[in-house]
Amino acid sequence: MPISPYLSDLRGRVGHALLLLPAVTAVIRRDDRFLLCRQAHAREWGLLGGGIEPLEKPEDAVLREVREEIGVAATVHGIVGAYGGEDLLVSYPNGDRVGYTTIAYSCSIAVDAELQFTDGELIETGWFTTTEIARLPRDRWVDRIIGDAGRPGGVLAADQMSVVEKAVCYVIAEDRLLVFTHDDTDILATGVQVPAGTVRDDESAAQAAERELFEETGLRGAVTRSLGTEFYDLAPLRGEVALRHFFRLEVVDPEVSAVWQAGEADPATGDSPISWTCRWIPLAQAHVLAGGLGARLGAALR
């Protein structure tokens, strides 16, 4: 949400100087997974939360923050703990510096709740186990809070497995899904794929999805919906884990009967030129997708 009148007045008096502010954090858990989010101005994942308004009860504040940030009602179950110190020192892009002291509440939301980014602060959410969280780029204070919420006195262990972020594209038209198969490689090695690729340092996952769609199929498309994230262990092919960001995209006037070739004349790896064949398959056949690429297809159809 926009800066509150109270905080705006304080900033008018002290400028960008360090402010100590009371805050709340929502630790939303579902079985062994925790809900994390990512803001538009940051690559790190964090927990939902925000500042407490004047005369507002902390428990009311955490319910308000959840409602404002993801558009759903939450239930508060208790206090996880109170946190502060250097880990919660935040410098914002506009130069403002804030030291937060936050009360973390254990919360839950309805299983069928549809998350919506209602106040424009967030661009992505995901449900992660503690092992998966240890692989994420995350705010420094997340480990302390998740550790306390997940197991008494627990601390998340750093995971040594390399993590690479990928964007995965679902382009659906007339009950068909856009896929491709490699021409010169055995289908047992590559399987049936959808457009996907690595997220570059200078782009968001959604931007990567639109770029990969064009580079791999020649079609221009736009992201219409974020479908969430999934981890996928690439062993034994590679010693890394993919954090996949799934998106639904649309293209203008697709020819769903078309079959065409695409490829790379000069792959960035220096390998020989490669080519693949693009086509549209019935959604009923989408179970053939390789290596977990169909993990969020059900969400794309809802």
Side-chain angles (χ1 to χ4, degrees), residues 75-300:
T75 299
V76 173
H77 301 289
I79 294 177
V80 176
Y83 305 87
E86 291 187 8
D87 286 353
L88 277 92
L89 177 63
V90 179
S91 296
Y92 289 99
N94 67 352
D96 289 351
R97 299 177 68 236
V98 176
Y100 287 107
T101 297
T102 188
I103 304 170
Y105 286 91
S106 174
C107 303
S108 64
I109 59 176
V111 174
D112 59 351
E114 183 176 347
L115 309 188
Q116 304 175 44
F117 303 146
T118 54
D119 67 0
E121 287 188 8
L122 305 182
I123 58 171
E124 196 169 9
T125 59
W127 294 91
F128 305 102
T129 65
T130 54
T131 299
E132 292 168 341
I133 292 171
R135 295 169 174 163
L136 291 173
R138 58 201 185 277
D139 293 328
R140 293 174 295 173
W141 46 272
V142 166
D143 287 11
R144 294 166 57 194
I145 298 177
I146 294 294
D148 288 347
R151 57 187 188 279
V155 177
L156 297 182
D159 196 293
Q160 300 303 311
M161 186 74 77
S162 174
V163 176
V164 58
E165 295 195 54
K166 301 280 187 177
V168 180
C169 308
Y170 293 147
V171 185
I172 300 170
E174 298 180 23
D175 291 326
R176 291 178 175 266
L177 176 69
L178 177 61
V179 301
F180 67 88
T181 53
H182 284 263
D183 296 332
D184 304 317
T185 306
D186 193 327
I187 196 171
L188 294 178
T190 60
V192 179
Q193 301 185 27
V194 292
T198 302
V199 180
R200 297 172 178 169
D201 291 340
D202 61 348
E203 64 184 356
S204 68
Q207 290 171 332
E210 294 177 353
R211 173 181 55 77
E212 288 290 343
L213 173 64
F214 177 70
E215 291 179 353
E216 296 191 347
T217 70
L219 300 179
R220 293 286 187 185
V223 168
T224 59
R225 191 148 51 102
S226 171
L227 303 172
T229 57
E230 296 282 347
F231 274 102
Y232 188 78
D233 192 337
L234 294 168
L237 178 63
R238 289 193 291 273
E240 61 187 24
V241 173
L243 174 59
R244 289 172 169 171
H245 306 264
F246 291 82
F247 297 95
R248 178 158 180 175
L249 296 87
E250 289 187 0
V251 299
V252 178
D253 297 327
E255 296 182 23
V256 297
S257 61
V259 178
W260 68 100
Q261 276 195 316
E264 290 183 85
D266 300 297
T269 59
D271 294 336
S272 301
I274 54 176
S275 66
W276 48 84
T277 299
C278 304
R279 57 171 58 83
W280 300 82
I281 65 170
L283 284 171
Q285 298 176 6
H287 62 278
V288 300
L289 292 179
L293 290 174
R296 289 281 172 165
L297 190 55

Side-chain angles (χ1 to χ4, degrees), residues 58-88:
E59 185 170 322
D60 291 340
V62 75
L63 294 173
R64 173 182 55 77
E65 285 290 340
V66 173
R67 185 174 60 255
E68 290 177 350
E69 294 191 354
I70 58 174
V72 301
T75 299
V76 173
H77 301 289
I79 294 177
V80 176
Y83 305 87
E86 291 187 8
D87 286 353
L88 277 92

